Amino acid sequence: MNHEKYLKQTIQLAVENARNDGGPFGALVVDKQGIVVGTGQNKVTSSNDPTAHAEIQAIREACNKLETFQLSDCILYTSCEPCPMCLGAIYWARVEKVYYAADQKLAAAGGFDDQFIYEEINKTYEQRKIPFYTIDLSEKNAPFEEWLKQDNKVEY
Ligand SMILES: [Zn+2]
């Protein structure tokens, strides 16, 4: 597997996207045979979707194409070290491994600093910029009770 080749392609996608009014990020999902099964470019502003990061786009396309919700045999290549949201998506998609080009510091220098989100994770709910509230409803466990009752559930 030529990791450098795929990583360079993500940079091309990112440069091309930046040139066309998109965010400067690109990503690819590549399967075991070396076939590109998912391509992603940052479409946050063009699609009014704050979750449309390149990695998420590539994961969605790959899952759609392979008709699966797990990319266990795939590698994710991305032009930049994934943000905390994409990090979560990468774990949920269970890709085999990740290769990235630019790191968090370069992203921050380019105007994309996600350090504050990492810092938020370690704060108590009271200290966070976006407050979280829980209300103690008696039926709060109903979704899990229903889930556990199902005989033909697809576990993930
Ligand atoms: Zn991201």
Side-chain angles (χ1 to χ4, degrees):
M1 195 79 83
N2 190 341
H3 303 303
E4 220 176 283
K5 180 184 89 176
Y6 294 115
L7 208 49
K8 284 182 176 180
Q9 283 179 30
T10 68
I11 294 171
Q12 282 170 6
L13 286 167
V15 169
E16 177 192 300
N17 203 45
R19 207 170 273 151
N20 293 305
D21 298 326
F25 302 94
L28 291 176
V29 173
V30 178
D31 76 4
K32 241 189 176 121
Q33 285 75 44
I35 297 163
V36 174
V37 289
T39 301
Q41 288 172 307
N42 183 297
K43 299 291 179 194
V44 170
T45 55
S46 59
S47 61
N48 288 325
D49 180 354
T51 69
H53 287 193
E55 298 93 324
I56 304 274
Q57 302 284 89
I59 287 170
R60 281 197 181 127
E61 194 178 289
C63 287
N64 206 14
K65 187 168 185 169
L66 301 175
E67 297 182 345
T68 178
F69 49 85
Q70 293 194 356
L71 300 170
S72 320
D73 292 330
C74 296
I75 298 176
L76 184 125
Y77 297 89
T78 174
S79 63
C80 185
E81 189 174 350
C83 76
M85 174 181 71
C86 293
L87 178 73
I90 285 162
Y91 272 83
W92 285 121
R94 295 174 171 87
V95 297
E96 190 192 336
K97 51 190 162 187
V98 174
Y99 283 87
Y100 67 91
D103 63 9
Q104 286 179 39
K105 282 180 189 162
L106 276 181
F112 296 90
D113 195 355
D114 52 20
Q115 185 56 38
F116 74 99
I117 302 179
Y118 288 103
E119 287 165 9
E120 287 288 293
I121 292 168
N122 296 320
K123 289 181 186 171
T124 63
Y125 288 172
E126 294 74 32
Q127 292 174 312
R128 288 182 182 171
K129 286 191 183 85
I130 298 175
F132 277 40
Y133 304 104
T134 183
I135 298 174
D136 193 19
L137 300 175
S138 60
E139 63 269 50
K140 67 184 174 190
N141 200 35
F144 299 112
E145 287 167 2
E146 192 58 39
W147 168 254
L148 292 169
K149 270 197 295 198
Q150 300 303 313
D151 292 328
N152 48 4
K153 56 180 172 279
V154 179
E155 311 247 6
Y156 61 94

